[in-house]
Amino acid sequence: MSQAEITTGNKAQKSFDNRTIQTLDLPRYMGRWYEIARYDNRFEKGMTHVTATYTRLSNGKIRVKNEGYRKKTHNKAIGRAKQPDPDAPGKLKVSFFLWFYSDYYILELDTDYNYVVVGSSTDKYLWILSREKNLPNTILDKLLYHLRERGYDTNKLIFTKQD
């Protein structure tokens, strides 16, 4: 049994580590990120050339623009993000619909803010993002290894077409 499994009665159940980063320079995080890989989800199904752009507004709020293509049609969603707890800088909340916020957990962040791994409070959502359209294989392999160590199923990742 691996570290990522816990025993519940007679049944082994997968567990995962979604601990977040402990420091975040929010202004450095702003800007465009290219989606390298993601767990499949209904709102991005079949999308390619996916990006997320974060913009800090003058009132301190964060504008989120997610966009990509589905069957040659450009799709865009505008939302907002917030950092609700200053003592947990890696745990943000993002909303694209009314007042319904979803968890946005920064699991791993490059010291130069060149790539990031984002998850949530559950293991249903996972993204690998980069400032460039592609990540070097050495970095991608390292991130995949760390995700497996955390208990995530990296076989479920869909690699996003960015060319």
Side-chain angles (χ1 to χ4, degrees), residues 39-92:
Y39 275 1
D40 201 15
N41 58 65
R42 63 178 173 73
F43 45 91
E44 286 184 280
K45 192 157 251 358
M47 290 188 75
T48 63
H49 304 87
V50 178
T51 61
T53 304
Y54 304 93
T55 307
R56 190 88 182 256
L57 304 176
S58 59
N59 62 6
K61 295 183 180 186
I62 302 167
R63 179 181 187 260
V64 181
K65 179 171 75 170
N66 287 350
E67 55 190 324
Y69 290 85
R70 183 181 289 120
K71 296 182 181 177
K72 297 183 183 179
T73 301
H74 181 255
N75 291 273
K76 177 173 65 172
I78 304 294
R80 59 196 179 281
K82 62 183 179 180
Q83 194 175 32
D85 183 356
D87 293 330
K91 292 183 178 181
L92 282 70

Side-chain angles (χ1 to χ4, degrees), residues 3 17 19 24 36 39 49 62 75 88 96 104 111-113 116 134 156 160:
Q3 274 187 319
D17 173 4
R19 284 179 291 170
L24 176 64
I36 302 301
Y39 275 1
H49 304 87
I62 302 167
N75 291 273
F96 288 94
Y104 183 102
T111 56
D112 294 324
Y113 288 62
V116 63
N134 297 294
K156 290 177 18 181
T160 309

Side-chain angles (χ1 to χ4, degrees), residues 93-125:
K93 296 281 191 176
V94 177
S95 175
F96 288 94
F97 181 70
L98 298 174
W99 57 87
F100 298 104
Y101 280 86
S102 299
D103 294 325
Y104 183 102
Y105 283 16
I106 301 173
L107 305 176
E108 189 164 337
L109 178 61
D110 175 48
T111 56
D112 294 324
Y113 288 62
N114 290 322
Y115 57 84
V116 63
V117 177
V118 177
S120 74
S121 58
T122 73
D123 63 349
K124 292 181 182 162
Y125 298 102

Side-chain angles (χ1 to χ4, degrees), residues 14-33:
K14 284 279 188 184
S15 177
F16 68 102
D17 173 4
N18 67 347
R19 284 179 291 170
T20 62
I21 60 171
Q22 296 303 301
T23 59
L24 176 64
D25 182 347
L26 207 47
R28 283 185 76 192
Y29 196 80
M30 298 298 103
R32 175 174 282 177
W33 293 90

